[in-house]
Amino acid sequence: MSKVSNSTQVPFYFILTGIPGFEAFHIWISIPFCCLYTISIVGNTTILAVICTEPSLHQPMYLFLSMLALTDLGLTLTTLPTVMQLLWFNIPKIDFEACFAQVFFIHTFSFMESSVLLAMSFDRYVAICRPLHYATILTSEVIGRIGLAIIGRCILAVLPSLFLLKRLPFCHSHLLSHSYCLHQDMIRLVCADIRVNSWYGFALVLLIIVMDPLLIVLSYTFILKNILGTASWTERLRALNNCLSHILAVLVLYVPMIGVSMTHRFVKHASPLVHVIMANIYLLAPPVMNPIIYSVKTKQIRQGIIHLVSQRNMCLK
C-alpha cells in the first residue's frame, strides 16, 4: 500500500509515548532503564559465551538455555533503540515501516520465549522421566530441528497479523501508548473493520499464549508424578532442584503476561502509567531475570562464568 498524506491512508510515522506524567524526568528515568538493558545484554551474552566455550555444557539442557539467551538478547535489542532515543533525546517519532519491523521482532521474540520454555520443559521431562533414553531422544540433530521449528512457528504466526494490519487505513491519532510499537496498540488506531484481525489474534492467543503454558503444566504433572514415585526424599529434592531454574523462568514470563492481560481486560480505564509500567515489566523482566536465575541456580553455569572471567584476567596479564 502506498503511503500518501491523505488522512485516510497510512501515516508516515507514529508518535511514541514515554512515561505519562513524568516527561520532565525522562533523563533520570533513563538511568534505571539503561541499567536493566545493560544487565540483560551483559548477562545473556555471558551465558552464550560460557556455553560456547565450555565443551562440558554442549548438552541439550544448555543448548536450550542458549536459545533462551539468544531470544532474550533479541527482545532487548529490539526495544532498546526507541526506548532510549525517547528518554535520552526526546525523539518520539518512528517511521511507519520501522514501527512495523519493531512489531514483527517484538512479537516474534516474545512467542519464541514461550516456545523455548516449552521445549525446555520437554527436556526436563525426558531427563527425569526417561533418563536412560535422554541421550538418544535429545540428539544434536533433534535439538537443531526443534530450534528451526520454533523459529518457523513464531515467524509464521506473526507475519499474517502484520499483513492483515498493513492493509488497513490509519485515520485516528498517530499517538501510541508505549515507547515501542505493539500490535495491540497499533490496531486501535485503525478506522476500518478489524474483525478478521481480532479473530486471528484470538486464534494466536489460543495457539501460543494458552497452549504453551498448558503443555508446560502437563509436562510438570508427569514430572511430579514421577518424582513422588522415587525412593527417597533426597532424590525428590535433587530432581526438583534440577527444575527450579526453569520453573522460575516460566513464572518470570507468564506472571507479567497474565498481569498485562488482566490490566487490559479489567482495568481499561486505569491511568496510562499503569499500562506502561505493566508492559515494560512484561518485556524487560524475562531478559533481565533469566541470566540472573540461571547464573545463581545452575552450578555449571556459575562455574563456567568464573572460569571465563579467570581466563580473561589471565589474558589481560
Side-chain angles (χ1 to χ4, degrees), residues 87-310:
L87 295 179
W88 278 347
F89 307 111
N90 195 30
I91 302 175
K93 289 184 180 181
I94 181 170
D95 181 74
F96 176 80
E97 300 295 344
C99 195
F100 265 82
Q102 190 176 49
V103 168
F104 170 75
F105 284 111
I106 286 178
H107 290 288
T108 298
F109 283 123
S110 296
F111 290 159
M112 283 179 67
E113 183 102 15
S114 178
S115 301
V116 171
L117 288 175
L118 175 59
M120 294 174 82
S121 72
F122 176 69
D123 168 75
R124 292 299 82 205
Y125 164 76
V126 176
I128 293 172
C129 298
R130 302 187 65 182
L132 298 178
H133 302 93
Y134 184 68
T136 56
I137 292 175
L138 288 174
T139 62
S140 298
E141 184 180 357
V142 169
I143 293 170
R145 288 178 179 176
I146 291 174
L148 290 175
I150 288 172
I151 294 171
R153 177 201 194 203
C154 297
I155 290 176
L156 292 176
V158 173
L159 280 179
S161 63
L162 289 183
F163 289 136
L164 288 171
L165 181 61
K166 197 169 184 180
R167 69 184 175 85
L168 298 173
F170 291 83
C171 58
H172 293 163
S173 167
H174 300 174
L175 182 66
L176 299 174
S177 304
H178 304 285
S179 49
Y180 36 76
C181 300
L182 296 174
H183 180 273
Q184 57 268 36
D185 202 12
M186 294 173 69
I187 196 74
R188 69 182 180 82
L189 304 181
V190 171
C191 54
D193 188 356
I194 59 170
R195 281 179 295 180
V196 175
N197 303 65
S198 298
W199 278 109
Y200 183 79
F202 179 70
L204 212 56
V205 166
L206 291 179
L207 179 65
I208 296 179
I209 306 303
V210 173
M211 188 176 75
D212 283 5
L214 285 179
L215 291 174
I216 291 172
V217 169
L218 181 63
S219 69
Y220 272 103
T221 302
F222 289 124
I223 289 171
L224 191 60
K225 183 179 178 181
N226 184 273
I227 289 174
L228 294 176
T230 56
S232 66
W233 275 103
T234 304
E235 292 177 357
R236 294 174 185 175
L237 291 174
R238 187 184 300 116
L240 285 173
N241 189 57
N242 288 336
C243 298
L244 185 57
S245 297
H246 180 255
I247 292 171
L248 291 174
V250 169
L251 292 176
V252 165
L253 175 66
Y254 288 111
V255 169
M257 184 185 291
I258 293 170
V260 169
S261 300
M262 296 291 283
T263 302
H264 278 283
R265 181 74 178 88
F266 299 108
V267 200
K268 292 180 180 179
H269 302 293
S271 166
L273 182 62
V274 174
H275 295 285
V276 168
I277 291 173
M278 291 299 297
N280 281 317
I281 291 173
Y282 166 58
L283 288 179
L284 279 173
V288 170
M289 292 304 300
N290 285 339
I292 295 173
I293 290 169
Y294 279 94
S295 299
V296 172
K297 296 301 299 178
T298 308
K299 181 181 177 182
Q300 292 85 346
I301 295 293
R302 194 165 60 248
Q303 290 175 338
I305 292 173
I306 294 170
H307 181 61
L308 188 68
V309 171
S310 62

